Every structure is written in C-alpha cells, then in structure tokens.
C-alpha cells in the first residue's frame, strides 16, 4: 500500500491506471470494500492499519478492477491466526465470485480454503491433493524421482534402500536384498599415500550474535579448514546469512 494515498485511493489505484476517472474509480473501490465487508476501514490512514487490516485492504486493491486471475504471494505472512483466517475468508469470497486464485504460501492453514493443493519440493511439483481427501497423489518428475510418504515406508530404522519393481497393478517398492559380500583381495605392499595438511582458515569460539532481544547464536564453536566443505542448513531467519557475514 502507498502511504501517501488514502485507503480508498489505494483500492482505486488499479482502476485509475486502466483509465477510469477518479470519481468512478473511488465509487467502485467503495463498492468493492463494502462487498468484502471492510468499508469501515475506508476512512483510516494507511499508516494506522493493523497488519491484518492492511492485508485485507491490499486484497481489495488487487481485485477492485475485476481481474479474472489473482496471484497471491504469501498474503498472510506475519499475520496471527485470526487475521490470517480473515484474509483467507476474503479470498474464498473472491473465488466464489468467479475469480481464479493461485496462492503461494508456507502457511499450512491455506490448504483448508483451496480446491486443489500442490506441494513443491526441491524445485518441482512433488504431490497434489484435494483438501478433505485422504488420497495424496505422488508426482514423479522426468527422471523418475518420487517422494514416498513416511507412512508408506518400511517400519525399519534406518529405512533400507528400496528397489522399484513393475507389477500388474503399478509400481512396487521393496527393500533391496543385501549385497553379496565379496572377500577382500590380498593387499599389496604399496606406500601409504601422503595425508594432506588442512590449514585452519577460520576459528570461531563462543560466538554470540542476534538482533535486539532475539538470539541467533549462543556459544557457537566452528572451525573451518582448507580442503573441506561445510554446509549450514536451517529455515529462513535462523541466522545462516548472518553467520556468513560474520565469517
């Protein structure tokens, strides 16, 4: 939302950009807000809108000109459960009115409001299902990769390598038989290879870092040596980039 414009002007903006005159654009903006039951926000300054209120105004601004398709990228990010639910309700009403919606979200609550859910893993569509259905379709990629649901795996720890076999009914995954043990060949008298020396390039001891009252690291020890490769993994916001910056 543009802070220099009022709420109604923000909602009317796309209409204005498509050539609708100001008075008509603002009238249609007010009608849209009334239809979606947020007309009580029209007289608020944008800066005084709460997070959930601002998101609902932004949704109205995205549909006031009557688009056929709405692309929603994380529309409930940073919202609490109640505010997120109100935004999902708003989107559901828009979809019921005939607008197609593609919603991209990390929020698992989003699935309950949709007609179809697709899970993307490692850059590809891996699963799809209809909310409320117990059937989840696994989608193999062009190389044959498919995600096996955890509940379908053998009850063994660790899970053994699986072998795919064709059957009349489809594809059957079975634990692979143990590999045949081949006896070691007699060793020859060869000189032992020289062991490389790994130079210490970075040595972090007792590292503490954070922002404000948020702690990212506390007493972190990390040694990085030449000729080695260390991968740091974790969810967004866990401090991976901060660690790189410190190093």
């Amino acid at each position: 939302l543009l802070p220099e414009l009022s709420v109604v002007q923000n909602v009317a903006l796309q209409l204005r950009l498509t050539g609708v005159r100001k008075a008509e654009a603002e009238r249609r903006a007010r009608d849209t807000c009334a239809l979606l039951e947020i007309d009580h926000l029209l007289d608020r300054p944008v800066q005084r809108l709460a997070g959930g209120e601002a998101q609902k105004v932004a949704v109205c601004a995205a549909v006031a000109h009557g688009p056929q398709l709405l692309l929603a990228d994380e529309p409930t990010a940073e919202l609490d459960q109640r505010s997120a639910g109100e935004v999902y309700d708003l989107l559901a009403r828009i979809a019921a009115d005939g607008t197609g919606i593609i919603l991209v979200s990390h929020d698992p609550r989003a699935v309950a409001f949709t007609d179809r859910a697709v899970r993307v893993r490692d850059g590809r569509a891996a699963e799809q299902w209809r909310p409320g259905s117990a059937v989840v379709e696994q989608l193999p990629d062009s190389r044959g990769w498919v995600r096996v649901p955890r509940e379908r795996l053998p009850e063994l720890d660790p899970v053994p390598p699986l072998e795919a076999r064709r059957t009349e009914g489809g594809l059957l995954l079975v634990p692979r038989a143990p590999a045949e043990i081949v006896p070691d060949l007699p060793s020859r008298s060869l000189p032992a290879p020289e062991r490389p020396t790994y130079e210490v390039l970075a040595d972090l001891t007792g590292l503490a870092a954070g922002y404000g009252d948020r702690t990212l690291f506390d007493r972190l020890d990390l040694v990085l040596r030449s000729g080695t490769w260390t991968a740091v993994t974790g969810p967004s916001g866990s401090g991976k980039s901060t660690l790189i910056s410190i190093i």
Side-chain angles (χ1 to χ4, degrees):
L1 300 178
L2 300 177
E4 66 271 20
L5 300 182
S6 66
V7 167
V8 68
Q9 288 172 334
N10 269 284
V11 177
L13 181 59
Q14 191 62 38
L15 286 162
R16 297 283 286 131
L17 293 175
T18 56
V20 179
R21 293 184 178 274
K22 180 179 179 182
E24 174 65 11
E26 293 192 1
R27 183 192 67 78
R28 289 170 61 178
R30 291 179 183 276
D31 288 346
T32 301
C33 290
L35 182 66
L36 297 177
E37 300 180 359
I38 67 162
D39 45 327
H40 61 286
L41 301 176
L42 285 173
D43 297 324
R44 295 252 195 108
V46 168
Q47 297 90 332
R48 292 182 58 188
L49 294 174
E53 293 172 337
Q55 286 291 67
K56 286 187 279 187
V57 170
V59 171
C60 280
V63 300
H65 61 294
Q68 293 180 313
L69 179 65
L70 176 64
L71 307 178
D73 186 3
E74 296 286 0
T76 60
E78 309 297 333
L79 295 184
D80 58 41
Q81 185 169 353
R82 177 181 175 181
S83 297
E86 291 173 348
V87 170
Y88 290 136
D89 286 336
L90 200 60
L91 292 171
R93 259 182 281 170
I94 292 168
D97 204 35
T99 298
I101 298 178
I102 296 179
L103 172 68
V104 176
S105 181
H106 289 89
D107 186 355
R109 296 170 295 183
V111 173
F113 295 82
T114 62
D115 299 305
R116 176 191 178 210
V118 178
R119 177 173 288 121
V120 175
R121 298 174 66 93
D122 301 325
R124 69 177 184 87
E127 298 172 334
Q128 68 176 1
W129 68 95
R130 295 192 178 277
S133 171
V135 178
V136 177
E137 299 176 21
Q138 308 301 318
L139 305 176
D141 69 4
S142 59
R143 297 172 299 167
W145 289 105
V146 65
R147 176 181 178 271
V148 180
R150 180 68 196 180
E151 61 271 15
R152 300 292 187 185
L153 292 174
E155 295 182 357
L156 298 173
D157 190 16
V159 177
L162 302 178
E163 183 178 297
R165 298 177 183 173
R166 286 185 177 180
T167 67
E168 292 183 359
L171 196 65
L172 179 66
L173 298 180
V174 296
R176 192 175 64 193
E180 181 182 355
I181 299 177
V182 179
D184 292 336
L185 296 175
S187 60
R188 299 182 179 179
S189 299
L190 297 176
E194 294 185 7
R195 298 182 61 86
T197 58
Y198 295 111
E199 176 187 0
V200 175
L201 303 177
D203 189 352
L204 308 181
T205 304
L207 174 65
Y211 300 101
D213 58 355
R214 182 183 178 195
T215 299
L216 292 175
F217 308 115
D218 185 19
R219 299 187 298 276
L220 171 68
D221 297 336
L222 178 63
V223 176
L224 302 176
R225 302 177 184 273
S226 62
T228 63
W229 185 346
T230 300
V232 180
T233 65
S236 297
S238 60
K240 303 185 298 297
S241 297
T242 299
L243 179 60
I244 291 290
S245 299
I246 291 173
I247 294 174

mmCIF file of all heavy atoms in Angstrom, residues 103-109 111 114 116-130 135-140 147-151:
data_model
loop_
_atom_site.group_PDB
_atom_site.id
_atom_site.type_symbol
_atom_site.label_atom_id
_atom_site.label_comp_id
_atom_site.label_asym_id
_atom_site.label_seq_id
_atom_site.Cartn_x
_atom_site.Cartn_y
_atom_site.Cartn_z
ATOM 1 N N LEU A 103 -2.519 -19.304 -5.030
ATOM 2 C CA LEU A 103 -2.000 -18.867 -3.736
ATOM 3 C C LEU A 103 -0.690 -19.589 -3.459
ATOM 4 O O LEU A 103 -0.635 -20.819 -3.466
ATOM 5 C CB LEU A 103 -3.016 -19.178 -2.632
ATOM 6 C CG LEU A 103 -2.574 -18.973 -1.189
ATOM 7 C CD1 LEU A 103 -2.363 -17.496 -0.905
ATOM 8 C CD2 LEU A 103 -3.605 -19.547 -0.231
ATOM 9 N N VAL A 104 0.369 -18.829 -3.209
ATOM 10 C CA VAL A 104 1.672 -19.393 -2.843
ATOM 11 C C VAL A 104 1.881 -19.112 -1.359
ATOM 12 O O VAL A 104 1.783 -17.960 -0.924
ATOM 13 C CB VAL A 104 2.806 -18.745 -3.670
ATOM 14 C CG1 VAL A 104 4.155 -19.269 -3.209
ATOM 15 C CG2 VAL A 104 2.601 -19.017 -5.147
ATOM 16 N N SER A 105 2.162 -20.133 -0.576
ATOM 17 C CA SER A 105 2.242 -19.917 0.864
ATOM 18 C C SER A 105 3.055 -20.997 1.557
ATOM 19 O O SER A 105 3.077 -22.152 1.128
ATOM 20 C CB SER A 105 0.825 -19.886 1.465
ATOM 21 O OG SER A 105 0.867 -19.648 2.856
ATOM 22 N N HIS A 106 3.736 -20.586 2.645
ATOM 23 C CA HIS A 106 4.349 -21.546 3.567
ATOM 24 C C HIS A 106 3.342 -21.974 4.641
ATOM 25 O O HIS A 106 3.613 -22.876 5.422
ATOM 26 C CB HIS A 106 5.553 -20.913 4.282
ATOM 27 C CG HIS A 106 6.730 -20.687 3.394
ATOM 28 N ND1 HIS A 106 6.913 -19.530 2.668
ATOM 29 C CD2 HIS A 106 7.789 -21.476 3.106
ATOM 30 C CE1 HIS A 106 8.043 -19.605 1.984
ATOM 31 N NE2 HIS A 106 8.590 -20.785 2.232
ATOM 32 N N ASP A 107 2.209 -21.283 4.715
ATOM 33 C CA ASP A 107 1.250 -21.467 5.792
ATOM 34 C C ASP A 107 0.391 -22.702 5.526
ATOM 35 O O ASP A 107 -0.384 -22.724 4.570
ATOM 36 C CB ASP A 107 0.367 -20.211 5.894
ATOM 37 C CG ASP A 107 -0.565 -20.255 7.094
ATOM 38 O OD1 ASP A 107 -0.592 -21.301 7.793
ATOM 39 O OD2 ASP A 107 -1.256 -19.251 7.346
ATOM 40 N N PRO A 108 0.489 -23.754 6.353
ATOM 41 C CA PRO A 108 -0.316 -24.956 6.110
ATOM 42 C C PRO A 108 -1.813 -24.707 6.230
ATOM 43 O O PRO A 108 -2.619 -25.483 5.718
ATOM 44 C CB PRO A 108 0.184 -25.947 7.176
ATOM 45 C CG PRO A 108 0.791 -25.096 8.245
ATOM 46 C CD PRO A 108 1.361 -23.899 7.544
ATOM 47 N N ARG A 109 -2.219 -23.607 6.912
ATOM 48 C CA ARG A 109 -3.642 -23.309 7.052
ATOM 49 C C ARG A 109 -4.275 -22.947 5.713
ATOM 50 O O ARG A 109 -5.492 -23.064 5.547
ATOM 51 C CB ARG A 109 -3.838 -22.140 8.029
ATOM 52 C CG ARG A 109 -3.383 -22.435 9.455
ATOM 53 C CD ARG A 109 -3.380 -21.193 10.294
ATOM 54 N NE ARG A 109 -2.386 -20.225 9.822
ATOM 55 C CZ ARG A 109 -2.140 -19.068 10.424
ATOM 56 N NH1 ARG A 109 -2.818 -18.724 11.507
ATOM 57 N NH2 ARG A 109 -1.224 -18.245 9.943
ATOM 58 N N VAL A 111 -4.260 -24.429 2.931
ATOM 59 C CA VAL A 111 -4.793 -25.566 2.172
ATOM 60 C C VAL A 111 -6.283 -25.747 2.427
ATOM 61 O O VAL A 111 -7.045 -26.120 1.524
ATOM 62 C CB VAL A 111 -4.017 -26.846 2.530
ATOM 63 C CG1 VAL A 111 -4.659 -28.065 1.901
ATOM 64 C CG2 VAL A 111 -2.573 -26.715 2.077
ATOM 65 N N THR A 114 -8.670 -24.067 -0.125
ATOM 66 C CA THR A 114 -8.455 -24.209 -1.567
ATOM 67 C C THR A 114 -9.226 -25.388 -2.140
ATOM 68 O O THR A 114 -9.718 -26.252 -1.416
ATOM 69 C CB THR A 114 -6.958 -24.405 -1.864
ATOM 70 O OG1 THR A 114 -6.506 -25.618 -1.242
ATOM 71 C CG2 THR A 114 -6.139 -23.242 -1.323
ATOM 72 N N ARG A 116 -7.615 -27.173 -4.633
ATOM 73 C CA ARG A 116 -6.539 -28.078 -5.021
ATOM 74 C C ARG A 116 -5.252 -27.595 -4.383
ATOM 75 O O ARG A 116 -4.978 -26.399 -4.342
ATOM 76 C CB ARG A 116 -6.397 -28.099 -6.543
ATOM 77 C CG ARG A 116 -5.240 -28.948 -7.055
ATOM 78 C CD ARG A 116 -5.021 -28.687 -8.543
ATOM 79 N NE ARG A 116 -3.903 -29.443 -9.082
ATOM 80 C CZ ARG A 116 -3.158 -29.034 -10.085
ATOM 81 N NH1 ARG A 116 -3.382 -27.862 -10.646
ATOM 82 N NH2 ARG A 116 -2.162 -29.773 -10.534
ATOM 83 N N ALA A 117 -4.476 -28.512 -3.876
ATOM 84 C CA ALA A 117 -3.196 -28.177 -3.260
ATOM 85 C C ALA A 117 -2.074 -28.896 -3.988
ATOM 86 O O ALA A 117 -2.205 -30.080 -4.331
ATOM 87 C CB ALA A 117 -3.188 -28.564 -1.776
ATOM 88 N N VAL A 118 -0.984 -28.195 -4.233
ATOM 89 C CA VAL A 118 0.199 -28.768 -4.879
ATOM 90 C C VAL A 118 1.397 -28.451 -4.000
ATOM 91 O O VAL A 118 1.610 -27.291 -3.642
ATOM 92 C CB VAL A 118 0.411 -28.185 -6.291
ATOM 93 C CG1 VAL A 118 1.681 -28.769 -6.911
ATOM 94 C CG2 VAL A 118 -0.788 -28.453 -7.180
ATOM 95 N N ARG A 119 2.158 -29.462 -3.621
ATOM 96 C CA ARG A 119 3.359 -29.240 -2.820
ATOM 97 C C ARG A 119 4.578 -29.269 -3.731
ATOM 98 O O ARG A 119 4.765 -30.205 -4.506
ATOM 99 C CB ARG A 119 3.497 -30.292 -1.725
ATOM 100 C CG ARG A 119 4.794 -30.143 -0.910
ATOM 101 C CD ARG A 119 4.841 -31.081 0.283
ATOM 102 N NE ARG A 119 3.919 -30.656 1.318
ATOM 103 C CZ ARG A 119 2.917 -31.394 1.789
ATOM 104 N NH1 ARG A 119 2.701 -32.592 1.282
ATOM 105 N NH2 ARG A 119 2.140 -30.956 2.741
ATOM 106 N N VAL A 120 5.398 -28.231 -3.640
ATOM 107 C CA VAL A 120 6.631 -28.138 -4.418
ATOM 108 C C VAL A 120 7.797 -28.484 -3.509
ATOM 109 O O VAL A 120 7.922 -27.931 -2.407
ATOM 110 C CB VAL A 120 6.805 -26.720 -5.006
ATOM 111 C CG1 VAL A 120 8.148 -26.591 -5.711
ATOM 112 C CG2 VAL A 120 5.667 -26.405 -5.973
ATOM 113 N N ARG A 121 8.633 -29.400 -3.943
ATOM 114 C CA ARG A 121 9.821 -29.799 -3.186
ATOM 115 C C ARG A 121 11.012 -29.801 -4.131
ATOM 116 O O ARG A 121 10.934 -30.373 -5.222
ATOM 117 C CB ARG A 121 9.654 -31.196 -2.558
ATOM 118 C CG ARG A 121 8.530 -31.301 -1.555
ATOM 119 C CD ARG A 121 8.351 -32.739 -1.115
ATOM 120 N NE ARG A 121 9.493 -33.221 -0.388
ATOM 121 C CZ ARG A 121 9.605 -33.174 0.937
ATOM 122 N NH1 ARG A 121 8.635 -32.670 1.667
ATOM 123 N NH2 ARG A 121 10.677 -33.640 1.535
ATOM 124 N N ASP A 122 12.090 -29.166 -3.704
ATOM 125 C CA ASP A 122 13.328 -29.159 -4.491
ATOM 126 C C ASP A 122 13.090 -28.676 -5.918
ATOM 127 O O ASP A 122 13.631 -29.228 -6.874
ATOM 128 C CB ASP A 122 13.964 -30.556 -4.512
ATOM 129 C CG ASP A 122 14.283 -31.058 -3.109
ATOM 130 O OD1 ASP A 122 14.653 -30.218 -2.271
ATOM 131 O OD2 ASP A 122 14.150 -32.257 -2.856
ATOM 132 N N GLY A 123 12.226 -27.665 -6.077
ATOM 133 C CA GLY A 123 12.035 -27.049 -7.377
ATOM 134 C C GLY A 123 11.099 -27.779 -8.321
ATOM 135 O O GLY A 123 11.076 -27.483 -9.511
ATOM 136 N N ARG A 124 10.304 -28.728 -7.830
ATOM 137 C CA ARG A 124 9.386 -29.435 -8.712
ATOM 138 C C ARG A 124 8.116 -29.791 -7.953
ATOM 139 O O ARG A 124 8.105 -29.870 -6.716
ATOM 140 C CB ARG A 124 10.019 -30.719 -9.250
ATOM 141 C CG ARG A 124 10.225 -31.800 -8.194
ATOM 142 C CD ARG A 124 10.783 -33.079 -8.798
ATOM 143 N NE ARG A 124 10.901 -34.142 -7.822
ATOM 144 C CZ ARG A 124 9.909 -34.979 -7.516
ATOM 145 N NH1 ARG A 124 8.742 -34.857 -8.101
ATOM 146 N NH2 ARG A 124 10.086 -35.936 -6.629
ATOM 147 N N ALA A 125 7.024 -29.969 -8.704
ATOM 148 C CA ALA A 125 5.781 -30.430 -8.101
ATOM 149 C C ALA A 125 5.951 -31.874 -7.663
ATOM 150 O O ALA A 125 6.262 -32.750 -8.475
ATOM 151 C CB ALA A 125 4.629 -30.304 -9.094
ATOM 152 N N ALA A 126 5.777 -32.137 -6.368
ATOM 153 C CA ALA A 126 6.010 -33.479 -5.833
ATOM 154 C C ALA A 126 4.724 -34.183 -5.435
ATOM 155 O O ALA A 126 4.650 -35.410 -5.490
ATOM 156 C CB ALA A 126 6.942 -33.403 -4.620
ATOM 157 N N GLU A 127 3.713 -33.421 -5.001
ATOM 158 C CA GLU A 127 2.454 -34.019 -4.546
ATOM 159 C C GLU A 127 1.299 -33.101 -4.909
ATOM 160 O O GLU A 127 1.478 -31.885 -5.028
ATOM 161 C CB GLU A 127 2.457 -34.219 -3.025
ATOM 162 C CG GLU A 127 3.513 -35.157 -2.493
ATOM 163 C CD GLU A 127 3.583 -35.161 -0.975
ATOM 164 O OE1 GLU A 127 3.210 -34.137 -0.362
ATOM 165 O OE2 GLU A 127 3.994 -36.179 -0.415
ATOM 166 N N GLN A 128 0.114 -33.674 -5.047
ATOM 167 C CA GLN A 128 -1.089 -32.866 -5.189
ATOM 168 C C GLN A 128 -2.252 -33.615 -4.565
ATOM 169 O O GLN A 128 -2.277 -34.848 -4.533
ATOM 170 C CB GLN A 128 -1.380 -32.531 -6.650
ATOM 171 C CG GLN A 128 -1.776 -33.696 -7.519
ATOM 172 C CD GLN A 128 -2.135 -33.256 -8.929
ATOM 173 O OE1 GLN A 128 -2.080 -32.081 -9.270
ATOM 174 N NE2 GLN A 128 -2.496 -34.197 -9.770
ATOM 175 N N TRP A 129 -3.241 -32.857 -4.062
ATOM 176 C CA TRP A 129 -4.402 -33.478 -3.439
ATOM 177 C C TRP A 129 -5.527 -32.456 -3.360
ATOM 178 O O TRP A 129 -5.311 -31.254 -3.554
ATOM 179 C CB TRP A 129 -4.057 -34.010 -2.048
ATOM 180 C CG TRP A 129 -3.759 -32.956 -1.023
ATOM 181 C CD1 TRP A 129 -4.629 -32.416 -0.118
ATOM 182 C CD2 TRP A 129 -2.497 -32.314 -0.794
ATOM 183 N NE1 TRP A 129 -3.985 -31.484 0.664
ATOM 184 C CE2 TRP A 129 -2.687 -31.403 0.268
ATOM 185 C CE3 TRP A 129 -1.238 -32.429 -1.375
ATOM 186 C CZ2 TRP A 129 -1.648 -30.602 0.746
ATOM 187 C CZ3 TRP A 129 -0.218 -31.632 -0.908
ATOM 188 C CH2 TRP A 129 -0.419 -30.735 0.150
ATOM 189 N N ARG A 130 -6.705 -32.950 -3.115
ATOM 190 C CA ARG A 130 -7.858 -32.092 -2.867
ATOM 191 C C ARG A 130 -8.112 -32.067 -1.365
ATOM 192 O O ARG A 130 -8.242 -33.134 -0.752
ATOM 193 C CB ARG A 130 -9.094 -32.593 -3.626
ATOM 194 C CG ARG A 130 -8.926 -32.511 -5.135
ATOM 195 C CD ARG A 130 -10.244 -32.729 -5.871
ATOM 196 N NE ARG A 130 -10.042 -32.606 -7.306
ATOM 197 C CZ ARG A 130 -10.018 -31.448 -7.960
ATOM 198 N NH1 ARG A 130 -10.182 -30.318 -7.286
ATOM 199 N NH2 ARG A 130 -9.832 -31.405 -9.266
ATOM 200 N N VAL A 135 -6.547 -39.076 -0.187
ATOM 201 C CA VAL A 135 -5.658 -39.502 -1.261
ATOM 202 C C VAL A 135 -4.707 -38.359 -1.622
ATOM 203 O O VAL A 135 -5.137 -37.258 -1.959
ATOM 204 C CB VAL A 135 -6.462 -39.920 -2.516
ATOM 205 C CG1 VAL A 135 -5.512 -40.308 -3.641
ATOM 206 C CG2 VAL A 135 -7.402 -41.073 -2.174
ATOM 207 N N VAL A 136 -3.418 -38.637 -1.535
ATOM 208 C CA VAL A 136 -2.390 -37.684 -1.945
ATOM 209 C C VAL A 136 -1.640 -38.301 -3.117
ATOM 210 O O VAL A 136 -1.056 -39.375 -2.992
ATOM 211 C CB VAL A 136 -1.412 -37.371 -0.796
ATOM 212 C CG1 VAL A 136 -0.311 -36.423 -1.274
ATOM 213 C CG2 VAL A 136 -2.158 -36.749 0.380
ATOM 214 N N GLU A 137 -1.698 -37.640 -4.283
ATOM 215 C CA GLU A 137 -1.031 -38.153 -5.469
ATOM 216 C C GLU A 137 0.446 -37.784 -5.445
ATOM 217 O O GLU A 137 0.798 -36.635 -5.179
ATOM 218 C CB GLU A 137 -1.673 -37.563 -6.737
ATOM 219 C CG GLU A 137 -3.133 -37.909 -6.909
ATOM 220 C CD GLU A 137 -3.715 -37.208 -8.122
ATOM 221 O OE1 GLU A 137 -2.946 -36.795 -9.015
ATOM 222 O OE2 GLU A 137 -4.947 -37.054 -8.168
ATOM 223 N N GLN A 138 1.297 -38.777 -5.692
ATOM 224 C CA GLN A 138 2.726 -38.534 -5.809
ATOM 225 C C GLN A 138 3.050 -38.279 -7.284
ATOM 226 O O GLN A 138 2.588 -39.010 -8.154
ATOM 227 C CB GLN A 138 3.525 -39.738 -5.291
ATOM 228 C CG GLN A 138 3.118 -40.197 -3.899
ATOM 229 C CD GLN A 138 3.282 -39.114 -2.856
ATOM 230 O OE1 GLN A 138 4.273 -38.393 -2.868
ATOM 231 N NE2 GLN A 138 2.332 -39.004 -1.956
ATOM 232 N N LEU A 139 3.837 -37.241 -7.557
ATOM 233 C CA LEU A 139 4.108 -36.838 -8.931
ATOM 234 C C LEU A 139 5.576 -37.099 -9.272
ATOM 235 O O LEU A 139 6.448 -36.331 -8.868
ATOM 236 C CB LEU A 139 3.786 -35.347 -9.118
ATOM 237 C CG LEU A 139 2.364 -34.927 -8.731
ATOM 238 C CD1 LEU A 139 2.209 -33.421 -8.859
ATOM 239 C CD2 LEU A 139 1.348 -35.644 -9.607
ATOM 240 N N PRO A 140 5.875 -38.178 -10.025
ATOM 241 C CA PRO A 140 7.265 -38.408 -10.439
ATOM 242 C C PRO A 140 7.717 -37.329 -11.420
ATOM 243 O O PRO A 140 6.925 -36.840 -12.225
ATOM 244 C CB PRO A 140 7.214 -39.785 -11.130
ATOM 245 C CG PRO A 140 5.902 -40.382 -10.741
ATOM 246 C CD PRO A 140 4.978 -39.234 -10.492
ATOM 247 N N ARG A 147 8.539 -38.795 -4.183
ATOM 248 C CA ARG A 147 8.621 -38.771 -2.717
ATOM 249 C C ARG A 147 7.713 -39.855 -2.157
ATOM 250 O O ARG A 147 6.531 -39.895 -2.462
ATOM 251 C CB ARG A 147 8.191 -37.408 -2.181
ATOM 252 C CG ARG A 147 8.166 -37.330 -0.662
ATOM 253 C CD ARG A 147 7.704 -35.966 -0.188
ATOM 254 N NE ARG A 147 7.635 -35.911 1.263
ATOM 255 C CZ ARG A 147 6.560 -36.235 1.975
ATOM 256 N NH1 ARG A 147 5.458 -36.637 1.355
ATOM 257 N NH2 ARG A 147 6.565 -36.159 3.292
ATOM 258 N N VAL A 148 8.273 -40.730 -1.350
ATOM 259 C CA VAL A 148 7.489 -41.792 -0.728
ATOM 260 C C VAL A 148 6.980 -41.285 0.620
ATOM 261 O O VAL A 148 7.774 -40.882 1.473
ATOM 262 C CB VAL A 148 8.339 -43.066 -0.527
ATOM 263 C CG1 VAL A 148 7.502 -44.166 0.112
ATOM 264 C CG2 VAL A 148 8.916 -43.536 -1.852
ATOM 265 N N PRO A 149 5.654 -41.276 0.847
ATOM 266 C CA PRO A 149 5.141 -40.829 2.143
ATOM 267 C C PRO A 149 5.728 -41.641 3.284
ATOM 268 O O PRO A 149 5.931 -42.849 3.159
ATOM 269 C CB PRO A 149 3.627 -41.054 2.018
ATOM 270 C CG PRO A 149 3.357 -41.071 0.546
ATOM 271 C CD PRO A 149 4.583 -41.664 -0.077
ATOM 272 N N ARG A 150 6.016 -40.968 4.375
ATOM 273 C CA ARG A 150 6.656 -41.634 5.508
ATOM 274 C C ARG A 150 5.858 -42.849 5.982
ATOM 275 O O ARG A 150 6.414 -43.889 6.331
ATOM 276 C CB ARG A 150 6.810 -40.634 6.660
ATOM 277 C CG ARG A 150 7.459 -41.207 7.908
ATOM 278 C CD ARG A 150 8.922 -41.538 7.677
ATOM 279 N NE ARG A 150 9.440 -42.421 8.713
ATOM 280 C CZ ARG A 150 10.684 -42.856 8.754
ATOM 281 N NH1 ARG A 150 11.535 -42.487 7.828
ATOM 282 N NH2 ARG A 150 11.092 -43.674 9.699
ATOM 283 N N GLU A 151 4.510 -42.719 5.987
ATOM 284 C CA GLU A 151 3.692 -43.825 6.494
ATOM 285 C C GLU A 151 3.715 -45.037 5.576
ATOM 286 O O GLU A 151 3.281 -46.129 5.964
ATOM 287 C CB GLU A 151 2.241 -43.356 6.693
ATOM 288 C CG GLU A 151 1.550 -42.882 5.430
ATOM 289 C CD GLU A 151 1.764 -41.400 5.163
ATOM 290 O OE1 GLU A 151 2.675 -40.798 5.784
ATOM 291 O OE2 GLU A 151 1.014 -40.858 4.322
#
